[in-house]
Amino acid sequence: KRLNGLYKFAKKIGLGVLVETHNEKDFDKAMAIDAEFIGINNRNLKTMTVNIKNTEKILNYALNKYNKNKLKDKILVCESGIDSVDSMLEIKKFGISVFLIGSQFMVSDNLKGNLEKIRKLNNFKEWV
């Protein structure tokens, strides 16, 4: 109920809203409020460990539970654990094409080179 109220308020005042999920129950809540942007976070906030397979697990759950047509209108975002272009390509196979990348770029000793790698990928040209 609180999530729905906050979501509607944020939309009413013109904000874009990314509803972050960590598990299947969170994903169901995001779907229940008809969130447009749904993030799947791979970081366990209790232990701070990252498991990139969390995205795959939640996406498989969502595909089994929800009609594909209902999911096609959602923008699903893979959050945390993207440590390389190869990671992005692996996740893209599951149908996710938006990534929240932070620490990979923060610790990079070649930020320009990493961004260039992404830019050169045909699959990602339209974003970069």
Side-chain angles (χ1 to χ4, degrees), residues 1-99:
K1 206 172 190 179
R2 182 186 295 168
L3 176 62
N4 190 40
L6 291 170
Y7 183 82
K8 285 182 178 178
F9 177 74
K11 297 294 279 182
K12 182 179 178 180
I13 63 171
L15 297 177
V17 180
L18 171 69
V19 177
E20 184 170 283
T21 66
H22 292 266
N23 54 45
E24 293 89 342
K25 184 178 176 183
D26 290 347
F27 195 92
D28 287 340
K29 289 177 186 177
M31 291 297 288
I33 65 167
D34 200 27
E36 179 184 4
F37 292 97
I38 302 174
I40 301 174
N41 198 324
N42 296 306
R43 185 179 309 279
N44 179 319
L45 296 179
K46 291 178 183 166
T47 65
M48 297 309 285
T49 57
V50 176
N51 181 357
I52 198 78
K53 295 287 186 186
N54 194 47
T55 293
E56 180 182 353
K57 181 180 98 175
I58 293 173
L59 186 58
N60 283 333
Y61 166 81
L63 289 170
N64 285 323
K65 181 166 183 178
Y66 299 99
N67 181 316
K68 284 186 181 184
N69 286 332
K70 192 168 186 176
L71 289 176
K72 78 174 183 167
D73 294 333
K74 307 297 179 191
I75 298 170
L76 302 178
V77 181
C78 177
E79 304 174 351
S80 299
I82 305 302
D83 58 5
S84 67
V85 171
D86 290 338
S87 294
M88 294 172 75
L89 289 172
E90 189 62 32
I91 295 298
K92 195 165 187 329
K93 289 179 189 174
F94 299 112
I96 292 182
S97 55
V98 180
F99 302 88

